[in-house]
Amino acid sequence: MTIAPDRLSPHQDDFYSALMDAHTGLAEAQSHALNARLVLLMANHIGDLPALQDLLQTARGYDD
Amino acid sequence: MAYDYTPFPYVSAPGLTAPEPRHRVAIVGAGPIGLAMAIDLAQRGVPSVVLDDNNVVSVGSRAICWAKRTLEIFDRLGVGERMLAKGVTWKVGRQFHGANEVYSFDLLPEEGHKYPAFINLQQYYAEEYLVDRARAFPDLIDLRFKNKVTGHEDRGDHVVLTVETPEGEYTLETDYLLACDGAGSATRERMGLDFTGQTFQEQFLIADIEMADSPFPQGTPERWFWFDPPFHDGKSALLHQQPDNIYRIDLQLDVDADGKAEAAPEKVIPRIKAIVGDKPFRLDWVSVYKFRCIKLDRFVHNRVIFVGDSAHVVSPFGARGGNGGIQDVDNLGWKLAAVLAGEAPEALLDSYHDERSHGSAENILNSSRATNFMTPKTPVEALFRAEALRLAHDQPFARRLLNSGRLSVPCSLEGFPLQTPGDLSGRAVLDAPLQGPEGDAWLIEQVQGRFTLVGFGEIDLPEIDGIARIGISQTGKDYPCFSDPTGLALQRYGAGRACLFRPDGHVCASFERPDAASISQARNRALGLAP
Ligand SMILES: Cc1cc2nc3c(=O)[nH]c(=O)nc-3n(C[C@H](O)[C@H](O)[C@H](O)COP(=O)(O)OP(=O)(O)OC[C@H]3O[C@@H](n4cnc5c(N)ncnc54)[C@H](O)[C@@H]3O)c2cc1C
């Protein structure tokens, strides 16, 4: 589990509302598809395999 | 003890028997905004008549969180210290998810401010103190309760009002009409002005209870906010402390809840018991609200000017309604006084619209984001929020995503035409402790109310008619000088700089080498006299 430093603030609310706006008007299935595309785009943007593997593990680590 | 709503006396208006001479300013509404407006103008020597349809202060606590900047403005208006003394100062906010604390924040770890980041004080106290203060100006403030404005007509260079009283109707003429008649402004409706925006479907139950035992650890007042609390499944809840052992509880209700039924004590009491447990309490006030985020396109319509909730309403998450309105007053007071005194062109009033419309847009943006976060509208919004909450238990970045209200901070006026571009320009005064000829003082007490040039560190301030001068960390000058015992003033403003503060405490220009010509020019620009 990686605890990353906060890099979003002070723009966290701008980001979050832009994220919600991106989903506005989409059916649930379309939203899931958007999320999938977004993950792939962000992965490409990060472009660092070890970092991505770490993020995957961290996200998975919250599974209950 | 429940607040004692003593009615204010009704007095017969002179206009009932004979026409009144034209007033300079008529203010409709004696809520916090109308009262503060009258006091601000009176402190500048401008008389006003205040007309209110009611004769008691705000029924119910309504606005309870007053922000630092508002308190600083209230300080200038002569009620800040009284509010601070009575109010509950709180610093720590805790956010819960279910039964677990996700994180807590401390509002103002920073020292060296006269006023704390926030106090909680019921709106009825704020209004009571403002009425008391207004009564200190018997020659300048004409307070008329049970005087309902039922009509107005803008005649170009004045406005004619129709006023209804228990004894009948009269008319009154005024140079300017300030509509401080609240969210349901009849002035606005009469003018047919569009007032549409986001209305949130969710309803909120707002309850005040009186309870002797504090629910907080060691009895220290805090702000507690729950997402999905164990006692209120899938919704949100807020717990806050006010003076007199009164606690505010906000509970989000279902979209289709029956508001009336929800406000009934037999419904409310079990909900509160689920939060506070066995502690005995008394129900003081209950109300059910739907919230809106809306503002007028224009705040200034020739001789009719909208101030406070009549111009803009926000959902209360972030405490920006009353706080935003007081900043309106602060912005408008000196401008209107300057226009009435013939020291500034009437166009200066348009800058009130520009600057405060910007401020209220900022408030609306923040309030609607908080309300959106608290009330997810779609399964995907709910999903993101649930996962943000889950991550927030250990990821600092996710904590910052949680939004139960971004608490009101002063708005910067940088980039607006009255300000001369430069460092710090547009920023609201940042307080600092000072030591002066008369002992301990605060920067906010020195710079508010008039144009003031402040020299920080060794820098000479030229004398200019109509501009007060103050030196900080300087000696041997022919104007009042203060020392900076904590070093915070110079740290916050920089040494070797002069700042010109507008009467509302915003920096309108700063200078490394202040000379009389550029200072005068900056002042004239702030008065709308020069570009
Ligand atoms: C539940 C709740 C919680 C809130 N919490 C906060 C908070 O924590 N912090 C914050 O800053 N704000 C808060 N607010 C917002 C705050 O209460 C308002 O922003 C504030 O009351 C606005 O003041 P005002 O003077 O503009 O309007 P009002 O307080 O509504 O006053 C308007 C006045 O005009 C009078 N009037 C109306 N029509 C006429 C007429 N025709 N003739 C004569 N008089 C008339 C009314 O009687 C009233 O006295 C909250 C609001 C609610 C509802």
Side-chain angles (χ1 to χ4, degrees):
Chain A
M1 171 95 46
T2 299
I3 305 291
D6 172 25
R7 306 216 297 160
L8 279 177
S9 67
H11 304 297
Q12 74 275 32
D13 294 345
D14 296 321
F15 163 70
Y16 198 85
S17 74
L19 179 62
M20 295 302 113
D21 287 348
H23 284 277
T24 304
L26 298 185
E28 218 176 325
Q30 293 173 305
S31 270
H32 285 306
L34 177 91
N35 283 336
R37 287 195 298 278
L38 191 59
V39 169
L40 296 173
L41 286 165
M42 285 181 167
N44 179 56
H45 186 80
I46 294 165
D48 172 345
L49 186 63
L52 289 166
Q53 280 167 334
D54 189 52
L55 287 172
L56 289 167
Q57 262 173 24
T58 300
R60 186 69 196 237
Y62 288 83
D63 262 6
D64 40 25
Chain B
M1 214 179 38
Y3 182 81
D4 171 23
Y5 288 94
T6 308
F8 299 119
Y10 165 77
V11 180
S12 284
L16 283 162
T17 44
E20 297 180 24
R22 188 177 293 175
H23 295 265
R24 305 233 72 188
V25 178
I27 297 172
V28 194
I33 306 312
L35 291 166
M37 198 71 241
I39 296 165
D40 193 318
L41 291 170
Q43 292 191 164
R44 301 177 195 289
V46 177
S48 65
V49 54
V50 183
L51 305 155
D52 195 273
D53 56 357
N54 203 348
N55 63 346
V56 286
V57 293
S58 167
V59 175
S61 58
R62 293 167 73 208
I64 60 164
C65 284
W66 303 97
K68 177 168 175 293
R69 181 67 202 133
T70 306
L71 294 168
E72 292 171 350
I73 297 165
F74 279 141
D75 187 85
R76 179 172 68 74
L77 298 179
V79 292
E81 291 181 3
R82 195 172 170 197
M83 289 180 70
L84 179 63
K86 176 73 184 177
V88 167
T89 300
W90 60 277
K91 288 197 200 112
V92 172
R94 291 183 202 281
Q95 311 247 15
F96 297 88
H97 179 207
N100 300 323
E101 182 177 330
V102 185
Y103 94 109
S104 64
F105 56 87
D106 195 335
L107 282 174
L108 189 73
E110 200 175 88
E111 286 301 304
H113 296 266
K114 178 169 181 180
Y115 288 94
F118 273 95
I119 66 161
N120 285 3
L121 182 70
Q122 296 89 324
Q123 186 164 330
Y124 42 76
Y125 278 118
E127 291 184 18
E128 177 191 321
Y129 298 173
L130 287 164
V131 168
D132 283 350
R133 175 69 179 148
R135 296 218 190 276
F137 301 92
D139 300 335
L140 290 169
I141 302 178
D142 182 350
L143 271 177
R144 299 185 187 176
F145 295 102
K146 293 255 175 222
N147 275 242
K148 179 178 181 166
V149 176
T150 54
H152 82 272
E153 197 189 317
D154 190 336
R155 298 257 174 96
D157 66 347
H158 69 282
V159 183
V160 182
L161 301 182
T162 316
V163 186
E164 205 178 85
T165 75
E167 298 173 276
E169 205 176 77
Y170 68 98
T171 58
L172 175 154
E173 290 184 0
T174 179
D175 289 343
Y176 285 90
L177 171 63
L178 306 185
C180 305
D181 46 355
S185 170
T187 313
R188 191 184 65 220
E189 278 173 16
R190 223 176 280 128
M191 292 168 69
L193 301 175
D194 187 38
F195 200 58
T196 46
Q198 188 173 12
T199 301
F200 295 91
Q201 292 309 307
E202 279 75 11
Q203 304 184 74
F204 289 84
L205 175 78
I206 314 277
D208 277 356
I209 59 168
E210 184 182 347
M211 185 167 67
D213 296 342
S214 167
F216 301 119
Q218 283 97 46
T220 308
E222 298 188 351
R223 174 191 195 262
W224 284 7
F225 190 92
W226 289 264
F227 294 103
D228 305 336
F231 51 80
H232 193 53
D233 216 19
K235 297 287 192 297
S236 60
L238 174 72
L239 177 67
H240 232 172
Q241 185 174 343
Q242 307 166 48
D244 303 343
N245 290 330
I246 304 271
Y247 292 84
R248 159 73 64 81
I249 291 162
D250 290 18
L251 287 171
Q252 181 190 350
L253 299 174
D254 281 324
V255 172
D256 48 13
D258 172 353
K260 244 210 178 103
E262 288 293 343
E266 57 274 23
K267 272 291 258 186
V268 177
I269 288 172
R271 288 196 187 281
I272 292 173
K273 281 196 170 145
I275 307 173
V276 302
D278 296 333
K279 296 188 177 70
F281 65 85
R282 177 185 68 80
L283 211 51
D284 185 71
W285 173 63
V286 179
S287 194
V288 172
Y289 285 93
K290 260 190 189 174
F291 294 118
R292 305 180 292 170
C293 282
I294 310 176
K295 73 181 191 52
L296 274 177
D297 280 341
R298 292 215 55 85
F299 293 2
V300 180
H301 292 261
N302 191 41
R303 294 301 177 109
V304 182
I305 303 176
F306 291 86
V307 193
D309 271 17
S310 68
H312 45 74
V313 289
V314 294
S315 68
F317 306 104
R320 286 160 185 271
N323 286 303
I326 295 299
Q327 290 188 49
D328 291 353
V329 170
D330 199 32
N331 192 293
L332 180 59
W334 66 273
K335 293 177 181 173
L336 184 57
V339 169
L340 285 169
E343 291 161 9
E346 201 167 352
L348 180 63
L349 299 176
D350 292 328
S351 74
Y352 158 71
H353 163 79
D354 296 340
E355 295 180 346
R356 290 309 304 156
S357 178
H358 160 73
S360 82
E362 207 173 274
N363 288 335
I364 284 176
L365 182 71
N366 279 288
S367 298
S368 40
R369 282 177 176 176
T371 315
N372 281 328
F373 191 86
M374 288 164 53
T375 60
K377 310 261 165 333
T378 63
V380 166
E381 287 189 14
L383 180 68
F384 270 109
R385 197 187 77 173
E387 295 309 313
L389 277 161
R390 198 203 301 239
L391 290 169
H393 285 270
D394 48 16
Q395 301 279 357
F397 90 91
R399 283 175 198 166
R400 304 238 164 77
L401 289 173
L402 307 189
N403 190 349
S404 65
R406 302 285 179 229
L407 298 169
S408 165
V409 290
C411 153
S412 167
L413 300 176
E414 188 186 350
F416 284 91
L418 299 190
Q419 280 63 251
T420 303
D423 287 346
L424 307 183
S425 196
R427 190 168 90 170
V429 55
L430 256 187
D431 203 4
L434 304 175
Q435 220 156 45
E438 275 137 49
D440 290 344
W442 294 97
L443 184 61
I444 56 152
E445 301 165 342
Q446 302 304 319
V447 303
Q448 299 193 101
R450 63 215 162 133
F451 279 98
T452 308
L453 184 66
V454 183
F456 295 91
E458 267 320 319
I459 189 164
D460 265 322
L461 305 178
E463 183 174 356
I464 295 155
D465 199 34
I467 299 181
R469 288 176 299 165
I470 284 167
I472 294 175
S473 247
Q474 340 186 317
T475 44
K477 302 287 197 285
D478 61 347
Y479 45 82
C481 286
F482 295 80
S483 69
D484 182 16
T486 55
L488 286 168
L490 260 55
Q491 193 182 313
R492 286 175 186 164
Y493 290 85
R497 186 203 301 276
C499 289
L500 180 62
F501 288 88
R502 313 193 322 186
D504 57 11
H506 281 268
V507 176
C508 62
S510 71
F511 312 86
E512 311 254 293
R513 261 179 220 75
D515 64 88
S518 35
I519 296 165
S520 293
Q521 197 182 4
R523 190 264 319 268
N524 291 347
R525 178 172 173 157
L527 280 170
L529 291 166

